[in-house]
Amino acid sequence: MKKSKIVVLFILGFVLGALAAVGVYFLTVGEVAWQEYVETKLIPNVVLALSAISALCVAALPIISKIQVSVAKFNQATSDVNATVENGKKTDEKLAEQDQKIEAFSERFDRMEEMFNAGIASVKSAAENSEKILRLGFCNTEELVKKGYATEIEKVGAKNEQDEEET
């Protein structure tokens, strides 16, 4: 809008300057039939100039308004792009925070897994020791051996071991 005002002011200044130059010329030339000159030359030329300027203004106004609409749309698009960039930055920050949380959770999970495996290993070792103790205790009891229960206990232990080896 500033440029259009500058152009209009420039044209107006040019016209006023030309009129002033014409006035100075006629004042310095000498005697001129002013009334005849004004009626035959000056008024038609002024009317022609004003008509041309007003026609240019009328023709330029739709173009100027379209340019203003385009500039407004461009400014809106620019602000939309800037808003999208800001949202992208916020999203990147949030994703970085989530990555840190996931990494911390992964570390905690790994520690818990190690603790679980260590606990299971000790329970497994204790269970195996208990099984050996029970076998020794049941299989060496004279009454269980005589009645045949020790053999049955041995079969159950052997069956469980075969099942564990197959899996």
Side-chain angles (χ1 to χ4, degrees):
M1 190 66 184
K2 292 180 182 180
K3 290 184 179 181
S4 63
K5 286 182 181 178
I6 291 172
V7 169
V8 169
L9 289 176
F10 179 76
I11 292 172
L12 185 63
F14 181 77
V15 170
L16 289 176
L19 290 175
V22 168
V24 169
Y25 172 75
F26 286 122
L27 289 175
T28 58
V29 168
E31 292 185 27
V32 176
W34 285 103
Q35 184 176 4
E36 181 183 335
Y37 177 75
V38 168
E39 289 175 359
T40 59
K41 297 224 181 213
L42 188 60
I43 291 178
N45 286 335
V46 169
V47 169
L48 179 65
L50 290 176
S51 298
I53 290 171
S54 63
L56 286 174
C57 287
V58 168
L61 284 177
I63 295 170
I64 291 172
S65 67
K66 287 181 181 180
I67 290 173
Q68 287 175 339
V69 168
S70 298
V71 167
K73 287 181 180 179
F74 182 76
N75 289 338
Q76 180 64 35
T78 302
S79 65
D80 289 347
V81 167
N82 290 338
T84 303
V85 167
E86 288 299 320
N87 287 337
K89 288 179 183 177
K90 290 178 184 176
T91 302
D92 286 343
E93 292 171 2
K94 294 292 183 183
L95 284 174
E97 289 176 14
Q98 291 301 322
D99 286 344
Q100 291 173 352
K101 288 179 182 179
I102 290 171
E103 187 64 32
F105 178 76
S106 176
E107 291 172 5
R108 285 180 39 216
F109 183 77
D110 290 342
R111 287 193 305 260
M112 287 175 60
E113 186 179 27
E114 290 172 5
M115 290 171 47
F116 179 76
N117 288 338
I120 291 294
S122 67
V123 169
K124 183 180 179 183
S125 175
E128 289 173 354
N129 289 339
S130 296
E131 184 180 348
K132 289 177 185 174
I133 291 169
L134 288 173
R135 283 185 194 212
L136 288 173
F138 284 126
C139 291
N140 291 324
T141 304
E142 200 174 308
E143 184 179 324
L144 293 176
V145 173
K146 286 180 183 175
K147 292 183 179 180
Y149 289 120
T151 306
E152 293 297 321
I153 291 171
E154 183 65 29
K155 287 180 185 176
V156 171
K159 182 180 179 187
N160 287 342
E161 287 176 5
Q162 287 175 358
D163 289 343
E164 288 178 6
E165 288 174 2
E166 290 175 4
T167 57

